[in-house]
Amino acid sequence: MTVLDRIRDRIAQVQRLGLYRQLHHHSACDGVRVKWGDRWLINFSSNDYLGLAREPQLVEAAIAAARQYGTGSGASRLVTGSFDFHQQLECQIATWKRTEAALAFNSGYQANQGVLVGLTKGGDRIFVDALAHASLRDGTVLSRARSHEFRHNDLEHLEHLLNSHPSSGIRLIVTESVFSMDGDVAPLSELLQLAKTYDTVLVVDEAHSVGVFGPAGSGLCAHLGLKGDRLIQVGTCGKALASFGAYVASCEAIAELLRNRARSFIYTTALPPSVIAATRAAIAYLQAHPERLQRLHRNRQHLASRLGRVLDSQICPIVLGEPEIALAASQHLRDRGFWVQAIRPPTVPNGTARLRISLSASHSAEQLDSLCDALQPWLSAQSLPHQMIR
Ligand SMILES: Cc1ncc(COP(=O)(O)O)c(C=O)c1O
């Protein structure tokens, strides 16, 4: 057996488990529709929650920045890649989030790694929610800290772990605000209280709550009035902000340590001018157009009432069980004109493969109704024990 045979063997293994992944190339996109082959499908899998990706203000800002500064930043931030526009974005984010400081990262994946690797070293401890995103888990593995997983949103379990694992170094509690595959929310006020009681710092990944909750879409922490030196808010700019990149909003001491120790900040080329300009325009847009958020929440309520369940957020999981059934559900909807991606392990725990419906402010009530009309009879016909239970 050659090494390539072994590689093919691993592919076959993934296929046997029903976990084979492949890229679907869309040839066009207009608002909430994507073109696949020669068919237009209504997209219920995008994280462009506010439908801003084609907003002229963002597009024009990106074009103007490319004209003025060129297409690339040319180097990492600490070499010669840091420009006024990076600093302006960081000031804008700190003002919007009401934090002392903000630091731009090249993606949410890198921001999460940067925080966990940059703030900890051997002897430190990271307490992470069991359903936290892969980037937070990978950051935990990359850091030299010992990690402890607490049951999803289980404050008692977390407190037990905090009591059982003291450290004279740094301890972090890590969670998401809106969980990416479940759409539920973390008990952030209580977590911040635990962080204060146990002299730890709370890291909240706001990837799916930025642009969706809080004043001018500034996130769930802001919505709940949470602030202070013990809170780190990580946000992505590639989802509701319809741009790219990410930020860490925190106190200045944390930003300073990250500039010095976060490898995913230090060893990478700075974000390009067009991307920074689009993000800045998106934040300005949110501040001027609260009606976008309101439209998204109206859609959330509409879908919730059609499905007869409570939705904490714009993400609606339909948990189905094994990968094959999630793929069949996705195919069923695709045949009827909807793109709803099947989500399978290891993205979600074994036995909880699902459809993940994500809403946009740009969906119409008719589009939501027609999705439900296509989905509900199919679900009833399957007589699944766990369907739609969360
Ligand atoms: C919760 C969460 N954190 C982080 C990320 C990574 O963000 P980015 O796409 O900016 O790398 C994602 C999505 O991909 C996410 O869902």
Side-chain angles (χ1 to χ4, degrees), residues 233-247:
Q233 300 168 65
V234 182
T236 52
C237 308
K239 302 187 194 295
L241 299 185
S243 175
F244 191 70
Y247 62 81

Side-chain angles (χ1 to χ4, degrees), residues 39-56:
R39 293 177 61 216
W40 284 96
L41 304 167
I42 302 167
N43 189 357
F44 280 98
S45 289
S46 171
N47 298 320
D48 178 13
Y49 299 124
L50 298 172
L52 288 186
R54 302 171 74 85
E55 191 58 43

Side-chain angles (χ1 to χ4, degrees), residues 58-378:
L58 275 66
V59 175
E60 293 309 322
I63 293 169
R67 288 227 165 84
Q68 186 177 353
Y69 296 100
T71 52
S73 290
S76 63
R77 292 288 299 280
L78 291 166
V79 181
T80 59
S82 197
F83 285 83
D84 289 351
F85 51 79
H86 291 108
Q87 194 189 21
Q88 284 156 2
L89 172 66
E90 288 168 346
C91 289
Q92 188 180 2
I93 290 172
T95 307
W96 177 53
K97 303 283 298 176
R98 295 172 190 260
T99 53
E100 229 172 67
L103 195 60
F105 279 76
N106 287 8
S107 71
Y109 192 95
Q110 291 179 45
N112 282 336
Q113 289 207 343
V115 167
L116 300 179
V117 173
L119 294 187
T120 63
K121 54 185 192 173
D124 294 342
R125 291 184 187 270
I126 297 176
F127 301 84
V128 60
D129 187 284
L131 293 187
H133 188 256
S135 55
L136 293 164
R137 309 192 142 270
D138 294 355
T140 303
V141 171
L142 266 184
S143 78
R144 306 254 160 97
R146 296 277 302 278
S147 73
H148 308 275
E149 187 178 285
F150 60 94
R151 288 191 290 271
H152 178 52
N153 279 347
D154 188 333
L155 295 165
E156 266 179 40
H157 188 214
L158 171 61
E159 189 160 16
H160 168 74
L161 292 174
L162 286 165
N163 275 318
S164 321
H165 301 287
S167 163
S168 55
I170 289 175
R171 297 198 299 171
L172 303 177
I173 299 171
V174 177
T175 191
E176 292 178 38
S177 48
V178 169
F179 282 84
S180 61
M181 295 299 142
D182 293 82
D184 58 340
V185 299
L188 294 177
S189 306
E190 292 83 352
L191 286 168
L192 188 59
Q193 191 50 52
L194 279 181
K196 287 177 185 156
T197 309
Y198 288 90
D199 190 24
T200 62
V201 172
L202 174 64
V203 180
V204 182
D205 179 345
E206 294 240 54
H208 299 276
S209 64
V210 164
V212 175
F213 292 103
S218 51
L220 195 56
C221 290
H223 175 72
L224 297 169
L226 306 181
K227 51 186 180 216
D229 294 356
R230 288 168 186 286
L231 177 64
I232 298 177
Q233 300 168 65
V234 182
T236 52
C237 308
K239 302 187 194 295
L241 299 185
S243 175
F244 191 70
Y247 62 81
V248 175
S250 65
C251 66
E252 177 50 33
I254 285 172
E256 201 177 352
L257 185 55
L258 293 179
R259 281 193 290 271
N260 284 276
R261 285 199 72 237
R263 296 170 70 83
S264 60
F265 173 81
I266 298 170
Y267 299 106
T268 190
T269 301
L271 284 171
S274 53
V275 164
I276 298 285
T279 305
R280 295 199 63 203
I283 296 170
Y285 188 95
L286 284 182
Q287 284 163 328
H289 295 278
E291 72 279 1
R292 280 280 174 140
L293 269 78
Q294 289 155 11
R295 258 166 50 197
L296 178 60
H297 289 290
R298 269 205 303 278
N299 280 346
R300 169 169 67 95
Q301 278 150 10
H302 188 94
L303 184 67
S305 75
R306 272 299 310 255
L307 295 178
R309 60 190 278 197
V310 176
L311 292 180
D312 286 353
S313 73
Q314 74 287 6
I315 299 167
C316 171
I318 311 278
V319 178
L320 296 166
E322 294 311 311
E324 293 74 16
I325 184 134
L327 289 172
S330 180
Q331 182 65 50
H332 169 82
L333 291 176
R334 200 172 305 157
D335 292 344
R336 281 149 190 82
F338 305 96
W339 192 280
V340 186
Q341 192 70 31
I343 308 287
R344 294 166 289 162
T347 307
V348 291
N350 284 334
T352 71
R354 66 195 67 186
L355 292 177
R356 174 185 182 268
I357 301 172
S358 69
L359 294 175
S360 163
S362 301
H363 287 127
S364 66
E366 293 70 35
Q367 287 169 334
L368 298 178
D369 286 337
S370 55
L371 174 72
C372 293
D373 291 342
L375 180 61
Q376 282 172 318
W378 187 88

